Amino acid sequence: MQKFIGLFVGTISLCVLPQLASVFFYQRPFLLTLFVGSLFAFYGLAWSYPKMITYLSVNMNVSSITNRIKIDMMEEITNLYPENWIVGKNLLYKRAVINPDTFKILILSPFETGYLYSVNYKKLEKLSEFILNSDVGSLFENAYQKPVVGEFIMKDTTTLLALVFSEEIKPSQINILKQEMSILVKDTFKVAQFRSHTQDINFGVRKLVDIAIKAISPAVNDPTTCLNCIDQIGEIAKELAIKEFPSADSRTLGSKKIQINEFNFEEFIDFCYDQIFQWGKEDPTVVKRIIRSIRIILPLVNNPFNLKILIQQVEEMDLLEIYNLSNYKNGNLKISKEKLTTIELELANFRQKAKLQIKVLEQKGVLEHYEMHHYSDNLAITNAEIEAIKYLKVYKIFDESICVNGNELIS
Amino acid sequence: MMTQKLKYKIKNIFIHQLKDLGTFLGAVYALVIGSALMILEYNIDFGVLFKINIFDTYSRLIAVSNVLISILIGISLTTFSVIFVVMQLASHNFHPEFYGIF
């Protein structure tokens, strides 16, 4: 589109410039320039304009929009999380927590209010090197990036960085450090009026979720668009489910005393599905598609924690509380009996697939491996790993008698 | 992998550094091509070179080019104003660029 705008503006300029120049150099006709301008104008009218209209009609289609958002997100995921998860790595990532008893200096945002657009990690690394080489370097423990990329930043209010020291440092040293940091922070962080795709996967998910819930709102009533968004979200979720968390940058900087703040898989899955389910839970088509989009990912997920999150996402929807025969008979459900059966079948299929994948992981020895081995010093991560393995083992033997809630339809 | 990374970096430069690619391309057409052609024409007399009545051709071409750019301006303004209204209604909280249309 920008190319078309460039061509149009350029063509108009090429046609106007020689005429303007002729006013001052009336003995010199700029025939060639005008001829080139006219050729461009003819090309613009006969070729580029129809092409632009076709381009617009294709790209304004919701499938193109959602597909493009997904492609951008996939690129970003590949860039941020280049490595797939393999056995021997941590199952999950949790944010580093600052010990409340330590001495810390908070660096507030010097930017005009806006959204955190991006963080330059190379400069963030230099920032840490600068502190380490300063006179308080020996006391420096860690620097914590507080906002996640895409977060709303308020001038002189939002903390961008928390610098943690092993001991309290002198007020004069604090003042010098704060002054230096506010200059360095301006180069490291970028705050803008709009969010960007860079380093912000949640932004793409946010847009897809927004399109989906707008589409199923009673004012619009366009479930196909919503289903399209769920499909694209499913692909993003698939990509995230096989990746190693945290991001490569986060791991590199972690070893250099910088703790980056970013979302983990659990949060991403919540962003992907929670709000769509919230607004679409009474539409069986939407619910079925959500279950299906998660179900088709399951065979690819080798990380037990991620598998647990995906299973939990569906189980915690408590679908059988909504879609059961007693609700149907009481007239609380405004759907046909056939739809009710299909939801139950979809859920049964999901459970079957989930159990199969747990079995596969068990056969590969992954579950046993993480029962015995843990690769993190962080107790919260170890506990979450133990809990995930326990959950999967219990889920595997979970009796599938779904008639308990009155759903005797497919039993 | 390297090519992919390079492609990603170039794309990011385009998105973040050259936010208005249209303005950039417009300037290239108008300033670079326009100036080059005009300097060339100022120094070389094409009338002598091609043995044509350059003043006569030039005055007739002015009328044609004016018609062409009038149509171009007309249709561009109509199209872009419609697009902006539609985009404004459809995506009041996102920049149109983020939907990949602009």
Side-chain angles (χ1 to χ4, degrees):
Chain A
M1 191 68 193
Q2 292 279 332
K3 280 187 272 179
F4 295 122
I5 296 173
L7 178 70
F8 290 167
V9 174
T11 303
I12 293 164
S13 312
L14 274 179
C15 289
V16 172
L17 272 174
Q19 295 186 45
L20 201 69
S22 300
V23 176
F24 302 102
F25 308 101
Y26 52 88
Q27 284 167 331
R28 280 266 173 230
F30 296 95
L31 181 66
L32 187 66
T33 317
L34 194 66
F35 183 67
V36 172
S38 304
L39 270 183
F40 270 130
F42 189 74
Y43 169 77
L45 279 176
W47 182 255
S48 286
Y49 184 70
K51 217 175 143 193
M52 184 188 82
I53 298 294
T54 319
Y55 171 87
L56 278 176
S57 62
V58 171
N59 281 276
M60 273 186 147
N61 185 298
V62 75
S63 300
S64 305
I65 293 173
T66 54
N67 190 48
R68 199 181 285 261
I69 295 171
K70 182 207 64 194
I71 290 168
D72 284 342
M73 288 306 100
M74 300 289 256
E75 268 182 28
E76 204 56 48
I77 292 170
T78 319
N79 190 49
L80 289 175
Y81 306 95
E83 285 165 40
N84 285 356
W85 181 87
I86 48 165
V87 179
K89 301 269 176 86
N90 279 338
L91 289 184
L92 67 142
Y93 150 76
K94 275 192 188 288
R95 286 189 185 89
V97 182
I98 305 174
N99 182 354
D101 300 329
T102 49
F103 177 75
K104 51 186 179 287
I105 299 172
L106 302 178
I107 309 296
L108 300 180
S109 165
F111 301 99
E112 286 304 319
T113 301
Y115 292 95
L116 185 56
Y117 196 80
S118 61
V119 181
N120 188 328
Y121 291 133
K122 285 212 172 97
K123 286 184 179 166
L124 196 62
E125 208 178 309
K126 280 181 188 158
L127 192 138
S128 158
E129 279 166 18
F130 172 83
I131 304 171
L132 283 168
N133 294 330
S134 69
D135 53 345
V136 290
S138 55
L139 303 173
F140 176 63
E141 277 188 353
N142 259 313
Y144 293 81
Q145 176 199 320
K146 296 297 277 178
V148 182
V149 177
E151 207 172 300
F152 188 66
I153 306 290
M154 282 164 83
K155 195 183 180 185
D156 299 327
T157 311
T158 311
T159 308
L160 291 180
L161 277 176
L163 309 173
V164 176
F165 293 87
S166 55
E167 279 174 33
E168 197 170 334
I169 58 174
K170 289 176 201 162
S172 59
Q173 287 174 318
I174 295 175
N175 284 338
I176 294 167
L177 201 62
K178 274 192 172 177
Q179 275 172 5
E180 295 288 347
M181 282 299 117
S182 63
I183 298 164
L184 290 170
V185 146
K186 274 184 183 167
D187 278 347
T188 310
F189 293 84
K190 193 177 172 191
V191 176
Q193 197 186 350
F194 294 105
R195 287 170 74 173
S196 86
H197 286 153
T198 318
Q199 301 170 338
D200 190 3
I201 294 156
N202 190 31
F203 183 44
V205 174
R206 184 71 256 150
K207 280 190 283 183
L208 289 171
V209 170
D210 261 22
I211 297 170
I213 57 179
K214 265 181 203 164
I216 47 170
S217 76
V220 180
N221 223 350
D222 178 16
T224 315
T225 298
C226 178
L227 300 184
N228 186 293
C229 291
I230 295 170
D231 292 339
Q232 304 290 12
I233 287 172
E235 206 172 337
I236 294 175
K238 181 214 91 186
E239 200 64 19
L240 289 167
I242 57 172
K243 294 292 180 188
E244 186 196 349
F245 281 80
S247 68
D249 288 320
S250 176
R251 274 177 277 138
T252 314
L253 291 170
S255 60
K256 291 172 181 171
K257 296 192 170 192
I258 301 163
Q259 306 299 326
I260 290 180
N261 190 5
E262 57 185 30
F263 294 117
N264 55 36
F265 182 70
E266 192 175 357
E267 287 165 323
F268 274 128
I269 292 300
D270 284 345
F271 293 139
C272 287
Y273 296 105
D274 280 3
Q275 219 173 358
I276 300 180
F277 178 70
Q278 168 69 29
W279 295 103
K281 62 182 167 195
E282 283 176 11
D283 186 339
T285 322
V286 172
V287 173
K288 261 171 61 188
R289 192 60 75 97
I290 293 177
I291 302 173
R292 211 193 78 176
S293 102
I294 299 177
R295 175 169 59 91
I296 53 175
I297 305 171
L298 295 179
L300 303 168
V301 185
N302 289 322
N303 180 332
F305 180 79
N306 291 359
L307 185 64
K308 175 222 165 190
I309 295 299
L310 292 170
I311 295 172
Q312 218 173 21
Q313 185 66 34
V314 173
E315 291 299 340
E316 286 182 356
M317 286 176 184
D318 266 340
L319 288 174
L320 298 180
E321 288 292 320
I322 309 165
Y323 295 96
N324 59 49
L325 209 57
S326 56
N327 267 353
Y328 172 76
K329 281 174 182 166
N330 294 339
N332 295 334
L333 282 177
K334 289 174 181 63
I335 58 169
S336 68
K337 201 170 181 179
E338 189 196 354
K339 283 280 173 204
L340 185 64
T341 320
T342 56
I343 291 273
E344 288 176 350
L345 273 172
E346 194 67 55
L347 193 61
N349 276 344
F350 174 84
R351 286 174 171 163
Q352 203 184 352
K353 263 270 172 62
K355 284 177 184 176
L356 197 71
Q357 185 58 16
I358 297 172
K359 212 173 164 186
V360 169
L361 293 187
E362 222 167 27
Q363 279 167 355
K364 282 183 184 170
V366 181
L367 301 189
E368 258 180 48
H369 181 91
Y370 279 93
E371 263 179 335
M372 320 279 264
H373 305 96
H374 299 282
Y375 298 93
S376 174
D377 305 330
N378 188 335
L379 197 66
I381 292 180
T382 310
N383 285 340
E385 285 179 348
I386 294 167
E387 204 182 296
I389 304 293
K390 213 183 275 175
Y391 181 91
L392 292 182
K393 290 209 158 176
V394 172
Y395 191 83
K396 207 194 89 186
I397 52 164
F398 160 66
D399 184 22
E400 211 172 307
S401 56
I402 48 172
C403 352
V404 182
N405 291 311
N407 297 2
E408 54 274 83
L409 285 164
I410 59 159
S411 60
Chain B
M1 193 67 187
M2 281 295 283
T3 338
Q4 205 182 349
K5 268 214 153 168
L6 190 73
K7 214 173 128 189
Y8 176 84
K9 274 189 180 169
I10 293 169
K11 193 183 162 190
N12 264 357
I13 290 171
F14 267 96
I15 294 171
H16 300 299
Q17 313 294 327
L18 288 173
K19 273 185 188 164
D20 306 305
L21 186 64
T23 321
F24 172 74
L25 284 174
V28 168
Y29 282 117
L31 299 176
V32 180
I33 302 176
S35 319
L37 286 173
M38 282 168 73
I39 292 166
L40 189 78
E41 273 189 288
Y42 192 78
N43 295 307
I44 301 165
D45 193 346
F46 286 101
V48 179
L49 210 67
F50 296 110
K51 292 179 183 128
I52 50 165
N53 186 351
I54 199 162
F55 282 99
D56 190 35
T57 317
Y58 183 63
S59 57
R60 275 184 281 147
L61 192 61
I62 283 177
V64 176
S65 80
N66 283 346
V67 170
L68 283 171
I69 59 166
S70 307
I71 299 170
L72 204 61
I73 291 170
I75 57 172
S76 308
L77 285 182
T78 319
T79 314
F80 291 133
S81 47
V82 169
I83 294 168
F84 276 114
V85 170
V86 171
M87 290 306 296
Q88 186 63 26
L89 290 174
S91 61
H92 56 92
N93 49 358
F94 293 129
H95 195 284
E97 183 193 302
F98 295 141
Y99 283 111
I101 291 171
F102 274 85

